[in-house]
Amino acid sequence: MVPAEQTLSEVLDAFDFGAPVVGAIRYGHGHINDTFVVHTQPENCCCRRFILQRMSAAAFKRPDQLMENIIGVTEYLGRQVAGRGGDRSREAMEVLRPKNGQPYYTDSQGGAWRLYPFVEHTVCYQTADTPELFAASGRAFGRFQQLLRDYPAQTLHETIPNFHNTEDRLNKFKAAVEADQLGRAAGCQPEIDFVLARQADCSVALDAMRAGKLPLRVTHNDTKLNNVLMDEESGEGVCIIDLDTVMPGLVLYDFGDSIRFGANHSAEDETDLSKVNLDLDLFAAYTAAFLEGAGGSLTGEEIACLPWGAKLMTLECGMRFLTDYLEGDVYFHIARETHNLDRCRTQFKLVADMEAHWSELERIVNQYRSK
Ligand code: ADP
Ligand code: GN1
Ligand code: MG
């Protein structure tokens, strides 16, 4: 793909912003899409902002299906929010169509772009500095689960096939080690061995699902702290964003991915691993809030499996970073040569920490399960 800036002015012309555009700059910390914030200057009132995104062609092969999912889910969420007396313009995303009336715009280089209103008076955090903040994100993701409880899952396209199929991720990882396209495998043997020692773990959730113990639900699948916007005053979750991977999945994926990213005080790409430690208080705060937000919609078996969600999502994500490192960084955006390897190392440090505190994780989950 050409750099997104190359077609940006063509794309700006393709949308009607309702006022002159005065600037468009890169925005946010996402690893996948090219995100811009667009500033407009309406006459006689203050600047209105928009989020303009080029969807990643590496990640999403069918932007048409992706946008069909997003339009379906955002319209449904909007109705749910309004029905409960909420403000749908803040609590649900809204897709703004290009002038040609399609759900998204395809530029002259084949890039697929979409537009959303900027949800103002919100903050997007990269780390959870307090249990209260992390709990607020947990309530929001739990509520998201509850709001989509009756969404017709069979109408959703699988935007990335086998996205959280950890067995499939393991196979892809092993193929990347085998191919070793860039000769990088020798430099990360301890990380490769870390995965190989945990191959059986990769089947735990899938086995439980196949045995009928865990139901498929509509899940978000990418529940990082920076995929929820928090109210700048109250600190509560306002709007769940980044809906690209809303698909049928297991609830432990949503719980686990939040823990992976947020239940520690370091960045995902921290190179000083002594700073990367699972924080049990954050884990407990998120667990309580997620279950509160889900409002009794989860089964006892699902709740009992939550520690596995945390471990599997973290192991899987580390494996994905390592796979991308071995394949030449073709999927996740990077800012330095070893970025994906650094990210992999933080994930594996967290997995080891979860293993070391396993009985405490189970105790915490059990404590809230019985509430
Ligand atoms: P990616 O898939 O690359 O992570 P996201 O959809 O998460 O892309 O967007 C990247 C960042 O842009 C988010 O983390 C958030 O900071 C910001 N963002 C996205 N959508 C909105 C919105 N509607 N209003 C305000 N900020 C947004
Ligand atoms: C990506 O899009 P973003 O930055 O929110 C990725 C997630 C990973 C995450 C790791 C579609 O999330 O699966 O867990 O990076 N999203 C996709 O930070 O692959
Ligand atoms: Mg994101």
Side-chain angles (χ1 to χ4, degrees):
M1 269 275 115
V2 298
E5 282 77 1
Q6 203 165 306
T7 53
L8 187 58
S9 66
E10 168 197 341
V11 175
L12 289 169
D13 278 345
F15 288 90
D16 179 5
F17 294 92
V21 170
V22 291
I25 48 172
R26 284 211 177 248
Y27 191 78
H29 293 82
H31 295 337
I32 301 297
N33 297 308
D34 290 287
T35 303
F36 295 81
V37 60
V38 179
H39 293 243
T40 66
Q41 183 60 70
E43 229 176 286
N44 303 327
C45 74
C46 54
C47 163
R48 252 191 96 195
R49 298 194 288 176
F50 298 83
I51 288 284
L52 179 64
Q53 280 182 325
R54 185 178 70 173
M55 292 167 255
S56 164
F60 306 111
K61 306 297 174 210
R62 293 288 306 263
D64 55 331
Q65 295 187 347
L66 170 61
M67 290 308 293
E68 201 179 308
N69 277 6
I70 292 195
I71 289 172
V73 167
T74 52
E75 288 180 351
Y76 182 90
L77 282 173
R79 287 193 296 275
Q80 292 291 314
V81 165
R84 292 160 193 238
D87 176 354
R88 68 186 292 172
S89 72
R90 268 170 73 69
E91 295 171 40
M93 303 276 282
E94 182 197 356
V95 174
L96 301 172
R97 290 173 185 259
K99 289 174 190 164
N100 66 15
Q102 299 299 310
Y104 62 97
Y105 176 72
T106 306
D107 70 24
S108 52
Q109 303 296 312
W113 296 74
R114 64 177 169 221
L115 186 71
Y116 297 117
F118 192 102
V119 183
E120 298 289 355
H121 308 296
T122 57
V123 187
C124 180
Y125 291 94
Q126 304 307 319
T127 52
D129 293 331
T130 64
E132 290 74 25
L133 168 65
F134 199 38
S137 77
R139 255 189 308 281
F141 280 120
R143 181 164 183 263
F144 183 83
Q145 183 60 242
Q146 197 198 134
L147 290 179
L148 287 176
R149 195 178 167 167
D150 296 323
Y151 190 86
Q154 71 286 356
T155 62
L156 286 171
H157 301 285
E158 218 184 334
T159 54
I160 301 181
N162 293 318
F163 189 59
H164 283 314
N165 180 329
T166 315
E167 291 171 347
D168 186 63
R169 294 288 185 186
L170 173 67
N171 290 335
K172 288 183 173 137
F173 161 75
K174 289 205 250 180
V177 175
E178 183 68 27
D180 193 17
Q181 280 174 44
L182 286 103
R184 287 177 166 180
C188 43
Q189 199 57 48
E191 288 75 23
I192 293 172
D193 292 342
F194 188 93
V195 176
L196 296 180
R198 288 163 181 78
Q199 297 190 60
D201 290 349
C202 298
S203 298
V204 169
L206 293 167
D207 280 345
M209 185 187 76
R210 289 186 284 250
K213 291 182 185 159
L214 299 175
L216 265 187
R217 298 179 179 275
V218 175
T219 47
H220 182 284
N221 298 306
D222 188 4
T223 52
K224 296 202 287 197
L225 181 65
N226 64 15
N227 284 332
V228 52
L229 303 176
M230 320 298 286
D231 187 87
E232 68 184 9
E233 278 183 12
S234 70
E236 279 303 312
V238 174
C239 185
I240 303 289
I241 60 169
D242 205 346
L243 305 174
D244 295 328
T245 51
V246 175
M247 290 182 274
L250 302 178
V251 77
L252 57 84
Y253 300 156
D254 279 7
F255 175 84
D257 198 54
S258 288
I259 298 299
R260 170 192 83 70
F261 187 81
N264 69 87
H265 295 280
S266 54
E268 197 183 49
D269 58 358
E270 173 62 59
T271 51
D272 178 354
L273 292 182
S274 71
K275 293 185 184 157
V276 182
N277 301 298
L278 178 72
D279 182 320
L280 290 174
D281 291 336
L282 289 176
F283 180 86
Y286 190 94
T287 304
F290 183 78
L291 294 177
E292 181 193 332
S297 53
L298 309 187
T299 68
E301 300 248 33
E302 286 182 294
I303 299 174
C305 260
L306 294 180
W308 270 105
K311 179 170 163 181
L312 282 176
M313 288 300 95
T314 315
L315 177 64
E316 181 190 280
C317 194
M319 208 155 70
R320 291 174 61 198
F321 287 141
L322 190 50
T323 304
D324 200 32
Y325 177 69
L326 293 168
E327 290 180 342
D329 311 301
V330 289
Y331 187 87
F332 295 104
H333 292 171
I334 55 161
R336 54 179 184 263
E337 198 185 303
T338 57
H339 215 155
N340 275 316
L341 181 57
D342 296 340
R343 289 171 176 149
C344 154
R345 289 182 171 144
T346 63
Q347 302 306 291
F348 291 171
K349 171 80 193 291
L350 289 169
V351 170
D353 242 15
M354 289 174 192
E355 289 171 347
H357 294 97
W358 194 251
S359 57
E360 286 154 273
L361 301 187
E362 290 190 324
R363 184 187 53 73
I364 292 167
V365 165
N366 271 326
Q367 179 189 336
Y368 293 110
R369 185 183 177 184
S370 48
K371 282 204 171 163

